[in-house]
Amino acid sequence: MDNGTEFYSKAMDHWAWKHQVKLDFIRPGKPMENGYIESFNGRLRDECLNAELFSDLLDARTKLEAWRRDYNEHRPHSSIGNLTPIEFANSVRIAEGQKEAISSS
């Protein structure tokens, strides 16, 4: 993950420790080490965090959830053949199911 302030915090470190998640940070000044997440973080910041005003935690959660749903369920992504992420995930599940059916026959 990158070294942005939203990820480099005691709360994040505590959550990771509690859930047995190992955090692996890219080197500072080397965003090319994780281009996919850098691209995502930029979109999240530009389209949601910088575009919205949050009145309280519930408002922030509501607006972030609406953005997440749009990003994953309604917006085509050129990197996955102009499918939405949910369409892409479903196509992978179908393909895997077909492979299993063929291998078990």
Side-chain angles (χ1 to χ4, degrees):
M1 71 175 64
D2 81 9
N3 291 279
T5 56
E6 63 271 26
F7 300 114
Y8 197 80
S9 68
K10 288 181 182 181
M12 182 72 168
D13 187 52
H14 177 72
W15 176 90
W17 175 80
K18 184 177 175 182
H19 292 91
Q20 299 178 338
V21 172
K22 181 184 181 296
L23 299 179
D24 189 15
F25 293 92
I26 62 173
R27 293 178 290 168
K30 302 290 183 183
M32 67 291 286
E33 289 183 356
N34 198 354
Y36 290 111
I37 199 61
E38 289 296 321
S39 175
F40 173 80
N41 287 346
R43 289 193 196 299
L44 174 61
R45 183 172 303 286
D46 290 344
E47 298 173 7
C48 188
L49 300 177
N50 290 346
E52 298 284 353
L53 293 175
F54 305 110
S55 60
D56 55 32
L57 188 56
L58 178 59
D59 184 46
R61 286 180 175 156
T62 301
K63 289 174 179 172
L64 284 162
E65 176 63 11
W67 184 87
R68 185 195 66 78
R69 291 181 66 103
D70 178 62
Y71 187 86
N72 287 322
E73 298 174 13
H74 303 288
R75 185 187 307 185
H77 295 249
S78 60
S79 63
I80 53 176
N82 289 316
L83 297 173
T84 66
I86 198 144
E87 290 169 333
F88 180 76
N90 288 338
S91 70
V92 169
R93 283 188 202 103
I94 290 167
E96 288 174 352
Q98 291 171 344
K99 285 180 188 176
E100 287 181 21
I102 291 170
S103 67
S104 65
S105 22

